[in-house]
Each structure stands twice: as C-alpha cells, then as structure tokens.
Amino acid sequence: MINFTVGPVQSGENVREIGSRQIPYFRTPEFSEIMFENERLTKKFAGAEENARVVFITGSGTASMEAVVMNVFSREDKVLAVNGGSFGQRFTDLCKIHDIPHTAIEVEEGKTLTKAELIPYDGKGYTGFLVNVHETSTGVYYDMDLISNFCKKNGLFLVVDAISSFLADPFDMERLNVSVMITGSQKALACPPGVSAIVLSEDAVQRVNNHRIKSMYFDLKEALKNGERGQTPFTPAVGILLQINVRLKEIEELGGVDKEVQRISDLAEDFRNKIKDLPFEIFSESMSNAVTPLHPLNASAYDIFTVLKDEYGIWVCPNGGKLAEKVFRVGHIGALTKEDNSVLVDAFRDLQRRGMI
Ligand SMILES: *Cc1c(COP(=O)(O)O)cnc(C)c1O
C-alpha cells in the first residue's frame, strides 16, 4: 500500500520503531526533557519568538482548534473567520458554539482570499482573525502576507490553523505577527494521529492567563503551568509524543525546517510535472506544497479513489460533501518519494488505457 492521503500519512521507520515499544511512565525528569525538546524544536520550526510557549494537547487537530477559540476569545471579541471549506466552517461553528461574536468571510471553494474581499472589514472594530492557512478540504493556500498586513493594520489577534501546512510550507510566526499557530501529529509531522500542538506567542500566553473558561481538559492555563516543568495536567499520548520527538530531531539533523519544506516542495513539483498531460485539472487557485487537489475531466473523483484503493493498493484522498464526485486530493506529506509518485502516475496511465479516466 502507498498512502497519498492528507493524514494520517506514512511514517518513517524510526517513528514506526518507537510505536512497537512499551510506553514508559511519564512523570519523570527523562520525559520532561523530551517535552522540553519538543517545545524547543516546534517553536524553532514555527519561527516563534523566544518567549513563545507550546502546549501539546492529546486530541486531534480539532481539539486544539476548539481549545484556542475557548482560551483566547470571549464575548467581548469580534472575530473574522475565513470560510472557504470544511475547516473554515469548523472555526465558524466553534465561534458559534462558544458564543464568540464573529463574521464569516465566505470564500468560494477553490478560490483564494483577495485584498478586495477584506476591504469591507477594514476599520470596522474587529478584534481577532481566524484562518486555516491551507484549507485542506479544497487545497487552497491563502496568502499569509495579505492576511498578516490586514491584521497588523487593524490590530487583530491572528490565529492560524497551520495543521496541514506546518513543515510543508514556509511559515514564520514572528515575521507574520501570528499570535497562535496550531498543528497536528498526523500531517507533515508524519506521526500517528492523536496529538496536536498550539504555539502561543508571549501575547497569547498573557491572554490565556487572563481568561477564565468553563472547561477542565481544555484549560490552557493549566497546560502552560504544567509545561513549565515539562509535564501535562493529564496523561498525554506518551507514545506519540516520543514519536514526535524522534521526528523533530530527525528534521533538525537533516538540516532543519527549510530543508524539510524544500523536500516536500520538490515532491509536489515532481508530481505536478508528471501529471501535466493527464485529463485532470488543478482544482484550486493557489496551492500548498502539502497537497495537489485534482478535478478529473472525464470521470468521478470518488470512483478514481475507489479503484486506486481496491485494484492498485494506492490511497489518494477522497473529498466529502458536494465535492465528492468532483475532486480528489494527492498528498505530498509523510514518508513518500519521487518513485512513489511514479507508481501513482503509472496507475493513472493504466486507468487511462482502460478508458476509466
Ligand atoms: C487535518 C486538519 C485539521 C484537523 O483535523 P483532525 O481530524 O481534528 O485532526 C484541521 N485543520 C486543517 C486545515 C487540517 O488539514
């Protein structure tokens, strides 16, 4: 099987080896050291400022999205949320559930956010901004410079879900003036699902500490306090945190985050070159290195997903909802190679010979 989905993705051998071991007890100085190292490397790769902090939540990416909305915004805020697909919708839903006054900027699926679309919200008393830098559901990659400049100009507290973009696209929290960045274990970190990470600027840490919330598990004040000694309030997914540690150290040893971004970018470019003469259209206006969203011109996208899985042992990522027949996605994150790309492209050519695409 080759897995080209957008997560969980394929893990390298070193990460898988950790998964076969017994889980150690974790209230120890040894585990605290590992957590400190996870925090240090995550901060470094996110381009976070010196005094930034990282909280590791045992829960998938959505758990961290919810924790952030609860811990940094309140009824006194007025938040803008970019909604261009199912992950943008999720932020909007979270604002609704937690009674955060908000306005959704509805972006057509497959389209990016333009300067003109932001103008109506300029100088209108907004206090915060929520965006999924890579709207994984459609494969759209938003212009962070545009968003960052708008937020700087309006003094907005900027929260970025970079769950599928972290390590795949260049990102610099400090330069972009991002207050909170969220990522997850099963995307470019290429570990099993179950852990997500929240990187908080000094500003964001202060905001969290001044905020009273009605939740025990998601109270980030407790997580921050425990984190000072390299611990978590409750039992974390210890095994995954050990796998994240191995993976972060591997990235560092191989030359750091820029090298990893370049590796994924090369893989994406190789794939996009190899499919140029196939009957597919790129679905989105602006792409992340993490994913290529494809619209087959003569076939159902969902049928392609099924036949690749059942007859070729290859997994691409199907879309849900109204894009199910129209779009499927090919991921470039995880332990994949250019040879793997060729295997997938050969399968496409075989489908073409069989008159199926
Ligand atoms: C994968 C992903 C998430 C998290 O989804 P979970 O299933 O909760 O891990 C959130 N946002 C984006 C943009 C994603 O790609």
Side-chain angles (χ1 to χ4, degrees):
M1 185 198 83
I2 310 180
N3 178 357
F4 288 94
T5 68
V6 302
V9 300
Q10 297 190 155
S11 298
E13 201 153 334
N14 47 1
V15 167
R16 283 183 288 137
E17 195 273 324
I18 302 280
S20 71
R21 295 193 201 165
Q22 298 280 13
I23 303 296
Y25 179 67
F26 68 103
R27 299 283 187 209
T28 60
E30 289 79 6
F31 188 69
S32 290
E33 276 314 308
I34 285 181
M35 290 301 281
F36 284 136
E37 192 166 42
N38 285 351
E39 178 166 23
R40 181 177 67 78
L41 290 171
T42 303
K43 264 170 64 175
K44 184 174 178 185
F45 297 165
E49 62 195 17
E50 174 105 16
N51 292 330
R53 294 285 310 279
V54 183
V55 168
F56 291 91
I57 297 285
T58 291
S60 78
T62 307
S64 280
M65 290 169 75
E66 181 154 29
V68 168
V69 168
M70 292 171 78
N71 280 269
V72 306
F73 293 130
S74 72
R75 282 166 194 253
E76 271 81 69
D77 280 291
K78 195 175 151 192
V79 176
L80 279 170
V82 181
N83 184 3
S86 55
F87 293 108
Q89 184 64 46
R90 198 166 297 179
F91 263 148
T92 311
D93 293 344
L94 285 168
C95 287
K96 222 174 278 164
I97 290 168
H98 296 287
D99 296 320
I100 313 294
H102 64 284
T103 306
I105 307 176
E106 306 287 343
V107 179
E108 198 186 326
E109 280 170 333
K111 298 278 183 281
T112 190
L113 177 74
T114 63
K115 198 169 179 177
E117 284 168 299
L118 285 175
I119 287 173
Y121 309 102
D122 200 8
K124 292 281 160 46
Y126 285 93
T127 61
F129 198 102
L130 285 165
V131 66
N132 323 86
V133 56
H134 176 218
E135 174 50 78
T136 323
S137 66
T138 60
V140 169
Y141 181 61
Y142 295 118
D143 180 349
M144 270 319 297
D145 283 312
L146 172 75
I147 291 169
S148 165
N149 289 334
F150 178 81
C151 290
K152 279 178 193 161
K153 182 162 175 253
N154 284 277
L156 306 189
F157 186 90
L158 175 55
V159 171
V160 179
D161 161 4
I163 295 179
S164 62
S165 174
F166 179 61
L167 303 174
D169 303 301
F171 194 80
D172 188 325
M173 272 185 87
E174 211 173 352
R175 186 182 71 76
L176 294 166
N177 206 30
V178 170
S179 296
V180 179
M181 189 209 81
I182 306 166
T183 191
S185 57
Q186 84 274 27
K187 304 283 168 82
L189 261 175
C191 288
V195 170
S196 46
I198 305 170
V199 186
L200 300 133
S201 68
E202 198 175 357
D203 231 34
V205 169
Q206 220 172 41
R207 197 180 265 236
V208 166
N209 283 330
N210 292 329
H211 207 114
R212 281 172 59 94
I213 71 157
K214 279 201 171 154
S215 172
M216 180 188 278
Y217 199 75
F218 285 151
D219 191 346
L220 297 184
K221 285 187 288 299
E222 284 303 309
L224 284 166
K225 199 164 81 200
N226 279 266
E228 285 169 16
R229 56 186 179 102
Q231 289 287 322
T232 49
F234 314 106
T235 310
V238 175
I240 300 171
L241 287 161
L242 294 172
Q243 289 173 304
I244 288 174
N245 185 251
V246 164
R247 175 73 174 124
L248 289 170
K249 283 196 300 199
E250 171 190 73
I251 293 169
E252 182 72 344
E253 278 156 21
L254 293 175
V257 65
D258 296 345
K259 271 276 167 59
E260 181 62 7
V261 169
Q262 191 59 51
R263 186 187 69 79
I264 296 173
S265 165
D266 289 346
L267 263 182
E269 195 189 324
D270 173 72
F271 176 74
R272 290 165 192 172
N273 284 331
K274 283 174 178 163
I275 57 158
K276 281 212 164 101
D277 60 342
L278 285 166
F280 300 138
E281 217 166 58
I282 301 271
F283 180 69
S284 79
E285 244 174 24
S286 163
M287 281 185 288
S288 155
N289 294 320
V291 172
T292 304
L294 292 172
H295 167 52
L297 298 174
N298 320 314
S300 145
Y302 202 84
D303 288 349
I304 293 176
F305 154 72
T306 306
V307 75
L308 284 173
K309 170 171 70 69
D310 294 344
E311 297 178 30
Y312 296 83
I314 298 172
W315 293 67
V316 295
C317 207
N319 267 61
K322 57 184 196 290
L323 292 180
E325 299 293 329
K326 195 174 171 190
V327 179
F328 70 90
R329 294 160 296 162
V330 176
H332 311 296
I333 50 182
L336 288 167
T337 62
K338 291 182 183 174
E339 290 68 44
D340 294 326
N341 281 346
S342 295
V343 173
L344 175 56
V345 173
D346 285 346
F348 286 142
R349 293 205 188 288
D350 198 46
L351 289 178
Q352 203 175 20
R353 265 192 298 274
R354 294 168 64 191
M356 294 172 78
I357 58 171

